[in-house]
Amino acid sequence: MATSVEFGTTSVAKKALMAVSGIVLTVYVVLHLAGNLLYFAGPEALDAYGALLHQNAALLWSARAVLFASFGVHVVVALDLYMRKQVARPISYGRYERAASSLGARSMLWTGLVLLGFVVYHVLHLTLGLAHPAYAPGRVYSNVSVAFASVVPTVIYVVSMIALGLHVSHGVLAMTQSLGLTLHRDRLRALRRLSVVLALIVALGLAAIPITALALSFTRGR
């Protein structure tokens, strides 16, 4: 009995930790979207934004440290909770009838794994430039335009943004529940709608950038 209580308490604590790290990541994604949308304002605006971010190296690396720590915690705890769930129920249902739930809720593990791979690729691609065909430090607009001048990286990003949208659509709701916040049914319904709207804005906004860059590269090639 004590072991069961300890197991439950540990799981609750880890879900809370996952929720807090999820909040940090969600805030970052929204801010990242706001900055990246400057791509549509042209080279000067986006390059100026990039220069602004790099003005204070200590602040930049502190933010990155918090971000990567949050990401690491989120991934490790998510995998740990998944394994705990598998251990708690090692034998699958003889007959399983799916309860009403969203696609985002049912695909959290898989979208999470897609996003894990995407983050590694994104860092190598547009942060460090190691997987970029012609990376030039400080030339953010050019780096983005060149990066998505071909179909493969564009498809990778668009698929990853679909995964991000699905993850956020359920993640916002899950974070609220993991932190123990009890909401009235109407507020819960409103939060569910808000999470879907936020997911659509994030996914469509971030996916629009590589799609636009690819379209512009085809236009220039004609």
Side-chain angles (χ1 to χ4, degrees):
M1 181 68 178
T3 303
S4 177
V5 172
E6 182 180 353
F7 180 86
T9 303
T10 301
S11 294
V12 169
K14 288 190 174 184
K15 285 181 179 179
L17 188 61
M18 192 172 173
V20 172
S21 61
I23 290 172
V24 173
L25 295 172
T26 302
V27 170
Y28 166 75
V29 165
V30 172
L31 294 177
H32 190 59
L33 169 63
N36 283 7
L37 287 177
L38 289 172
Y39 179 82
F40 297 103
E44 290 186 6
L46 189 60
D47 288 353
Y49 167 69
L52 179 64
L53 291 180
H54 286 82
Q55 272 186 354
N56 191 323
L59 182 60
L60 175 64
W61 281 103
S62 296
R64 283 177 173 174
V66 171
L67 179 63
F68 282 112
S70 298
F71 184 77
V73 167
H74 202 72
V75 170
V76 170
V77 173
L79 292 175
D80 179 72
L81 288 172
Y82 175 76
M83 294 305 297
R84 282 169 173 264
K85 182 179 178 181
Q86 295 300 106
V87 170
R89 188 180 293 277
I91 302 174
S92 60
Y93 294 101
R95 179 180 177 187
Y96 176 65
E97 303 226 352
R98 191 183 299 281
S101 63
S102 67
L103 178 59
R106 296 195 300 271
S107 62
M108 286 297 280
L109 174 64
W110 302 111
T111 55
L113 292 174
V114 169
L115 292 173
L116 175 59
F118 169 74
V119 168
V120 174
Y121 175 65
H122 180 63
V123 170
L124 295 175
H125 192 210
L126 284 173
T127 303
L128 301 178
L130 300 177
H132 192 284
Y135 185 78
R139 300 184 61 188
V140 184
Y141 187 90
S142 174
N143 289 337
V144 172
S145 298
V146 173
F148 301 117
S150 57
V151 174
V152 173
T154 302
V155 170
I156 290 174
Y157 270 76
V158 171
V159 170
S160 298
M161 291 310 98
I162 293 172
L164 177 61
L166 287 171
H167 208 75
V168 169
S169 70
H170 178 69
V172 172
L173 188 63
M175 287 186 292
T176 304
Q177 295 172 330
S178 294
L179 291 175
L181 300 178
T182 304
L183 297 176
H184 187 271
R185 182 176 298 176
D186 291 339
R187 292 184 179 179
L188 189 61
R189 192 180 297 117
L191 179 61
R192 187 174 287 112
R193 291 197 191 103
L194 177 63
S195 65
V196 172
V197 170
L198 178 62
L200 285 171
I201 291 173
V202 167
L204 293 175
L206 290 174
I209 297 169
I211 291 173
T212 301
L214 180 63
L216 288 174
S217 72
F218 284 147
T219 303
R220 295 189 198 102
R222 289 180 178 177

